[in-house]
């Protein structure tokens, strides 16, 4: 799969997540900026982490700190 294809899939998923967050916030009287989205990247290759970062995702979670550091360096 090309990076462009992956970006399209990721953007579609992020749009759906943001829509759900907006709807939930509206029901609870909160604003979406009060919600922190954390992308859990366990088993996700560094290439995808880099693409997520390009789409504006800033917070990532990993089960092992050393893997998070490796992916952060690879995503630069």
């Amino acid at each position: 799969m090309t990076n462009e294809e992956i970006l399209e899939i990721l953007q579609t998923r992020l749009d759906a997540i943001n829509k759900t967050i907006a709807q939930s916030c509206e029901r609870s009287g909160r604003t979406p900026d009060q919600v922190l989205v954390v992308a859990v990247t366990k088993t996700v290759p560094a290439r995808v982490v880099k693409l997520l970062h390009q789409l504006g995702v800033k917070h990532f979670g990993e089960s092992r700190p050393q893997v998070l550091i490796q992916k952060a360096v690879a995503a630069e």
Side-chain angles (χ1 to χ4, degrees):
M1 210 181 266
T2 68
N3 282 354
E4 291 76 23
E5 291 169 325
I6 295 170
L7 276 169
E8 186 176 329
I9 291 167
L10 292 173
Q11 185 64 64
T12 299
R13 291 180 182 179
L14 283 171
D15 291 345
I17 290 166
N18 288 329
K19 181 179 178 182
T20 300
I21 289 170
Q23 292 169 340
S24 297
C25 286
E26 187 173 325
R27 285 192 306 272
S28 67
R30 297 175 68 188
T31 60
D33 65 331
Q34 293 176 299
V35 177
L36 178 66
V37 175
V38 178
V40 178
T41 57
K42 185 175 182 177
T43 74
V44 175
R47 169 183 171 206
V48 175
V49 174
K50 183 175 185 174
L51 296 173
L52 281 168
H53 190 262
Q54 288 176 8
L55 291 173
V57 177
K58 302 293 183 213
H59 304 282
F60 297 91
E62 273 288 340
S63 58
R64 296 187 204 142
Q66 65 273 25
V67 176
L68 182 61
I69 292 167
Q70 289 171 351
K71 288 181 181 180
V73 169
E76 290 180 341

